[in-house]
Amino acid sequence: MGTADAQRNELGEFLKARRAELTPTRAGLPDAGAPRRVPGLRREEVAQLAAISADYYTRLEQGRFQASAPVLTALARALQLDEDQTAYVRGLAAKRKGRTPRQAAQRVRPQLQRVLDRLTDAPAMVLGRHMDILAWNSLAAALITDFTALPRQERNYLRLAFVDPDVRRLFWETTARTCVAYLRMDAAHYPDDPRLAALVGELSVKDPDFRKWWAAHDVAHKTCGTKTLNHPVVGALTVDWEMLGCTTDPDQQLMVMTAAAGSDSQEALHFLASWSGSPVPSRRENRPS
């Protein structure tokens, strides 16, 4: 299936990927032990678990039918989808009802900018759609990269993890695949966004890992987590990150990174703050660079 076709039938591709991961034993089905021609469950087995016809399920995977809410609920239960995965399939089904309007270029919200301006002892940045970096503070630049040196269209958190050698060495193993799952979740909301298509196309050409992970159809919401970084100045440090939403624009989130009080990682952040110079006003993507 070509890229354009797969994008149009993202729901079917997602269902196919999830049933390939689910074994008959995990699904509670009898397994005769005979060799299986397909990994995971067969289509008719998913249909049986969801109490729908095999023909109906086949048409769903092929993108020829639009699933109703009760059918999506039954499929989520049959395929043992988690909360994020269930939200994803519901979002995909909803978006199939109409084409997504073209999205205007984002500008950081004033409320988030004011919060960011007051954060001087913790790395922080504002992420927009598809993890575009809309604004950042000086400590985030010292920790990750000099964002002002990048063209505006290259200021993307996921893109940096894959194509920038320095950023890749900084946190590749703990970040890249998870970020691909975040981008997949974004795709449910903006399946026709040319910015998303361009980003996926570029990374698919440039990186085999991205192609493999994108094809896996893993999804996750950006909420919170822990990442370990190998910084060229302060060495290894571990930070907890939290995403704070903007009630007036759900497409923007403030990402704040902190380290445990009294830890070596907190000392490393303090050193980075002094090493990078006195705090300067936070930067915005829409300012001239």
Side-chain angles (χ1 to χ4, degrees):
M1 180 177 289
T3 302
D5 291 337
Q7 188 75 4
R8 285 192 293 269
N9 187 30
E10 171 61 21
L11 177 59
E13 292 296 305
F14 179 81
L15 294 174
K16 183 178 179 181
R18 297 291 76 79
R19 74 175 171 88
E21 295 176 340
L22 189 60
T23 64
T25 300
R26 281 183 55 206
L29 294 173
D31 187 357
R36 301 172 67 90
R37 292 187 298 174
V38 295
L41 297 182
R42 302 184 181 96
R43 284 174 173 169
E44 56 268 26
E45 291 171 328
V46 176
Q48 174 189 341
L49 290 167
I52 59 178
S53 72
D55 179 66
Y56 184 90
Y57 178 75
T58 298
R59 290 170 182 262
L60 282 179
E61 270 201 9
Q62 293 172 344
R64 297 159 61 192
F65 273 0
Q66 181 171 317
S68 65
V71 168
L72 289 177
T73 299
L75 287 173
R77 183 174 58 251
L79 293 170
Q80 301 179 15
L81 303 185
D82 62 25
E83 185 177 343
D84 285 349
Q85 292 169 333
T86 301
Y88 181 67
V89 296
R90 292 187 183 281
L92 286 175
K95 288 300 177 182
R96 287 195 61 183
K97 296 179 181 179
R99 188 174 180 85
T100 306
R102 187 177 182 86
Q103 301 300 314
Q106 287 185 285
R107 296 291 184 265
V108 63
R109 300 289 295 182
Q111 300 94 323
L112 289 183
Q113 185 65 57
R114 288 196 294 269
V115 174
L116 189 60
D117 288 340
R118 286 160 176 77
L119 289 172
T120 58
D121 60 352
M125 64 183 73
V126 177
L127 299 183
R129 288 189 297 272
H130 320 319
M131 285 175 282
D132 283 338
I133 300 168
L134 305 182
W136 59 92
N137 64 11
S138 58
L139 191 49
L143 181 65
I144 299 174
T145 192
D146 181 6
F147 300 111
T148 59
L150 300 172
R152 184 178 304 170
Q153 66 273 15
E154 294 182 9
R155 295 174 191 158
N156 178 275
Y157 197 68
L158 177 66
R159 185 184 183 279
L160 289 171
F162 278 92
V163 305
D164 187 300
D166 293 332
V167 176
R168 189 180 179 107
R169 284 190 292 268
L170 185 65
F171 53 52
W172 170 256
E173 293 183 1
T174 60
T175 297
R177 182 164 188 170
T178 304
C179 283
V180 175
Y182 297 153
L183 189 66
R184 267 288 181 193
M185 187 66 82
D186 281 354
H189 300 286
Y190 301 105
D192 306 310
D193 192 335
R195 166 68 176 154
L196 171 66
L199 180 62
V200 171
E202 178 190 10
L203 297 182
S204 295
V205 169
K206 291 183 175 179
D207 195 284
D209 283 325
F210 179 85
R211 291 196 298 273
K212 177 177 66 177
W213 295 336
W214 186 252
H217 293 261
D218 293 328
V219 294
H221 274 121
K222 299 186 293 294
T223 53
C224 60
T226 301
K227 69 167 79 255
T228 299
L229 303 94
N230 185 22
H231 197 274
V233 174
V234 297
L237 71 158
T238 299
V239 296
D240 299 315
W241 59 271
E242 190 86 21
M243 302 298 292
L244 307 177
C246 176
T247 57
T248 54
D249 186 351
D251 283 342
Q252 295 190 30
Q253 293 178 296
L254 177 65
M255 179 183 185
V256 182
M257 290 168 272
T258 60
S263 66
D264 291 342
S265 295
Q266 185 186 54
E267 289 302 313
L269 289 179
H270 288 165
F271 179 82
L272 262 185
S274 61
W275 173 80
S276 61
S278 301
V280 297
S282 57
R283 304 299 183 94
R284 307 179 190 178
E285 184 196 26
N286 51 304
R287 290 177 178 171
S289 53

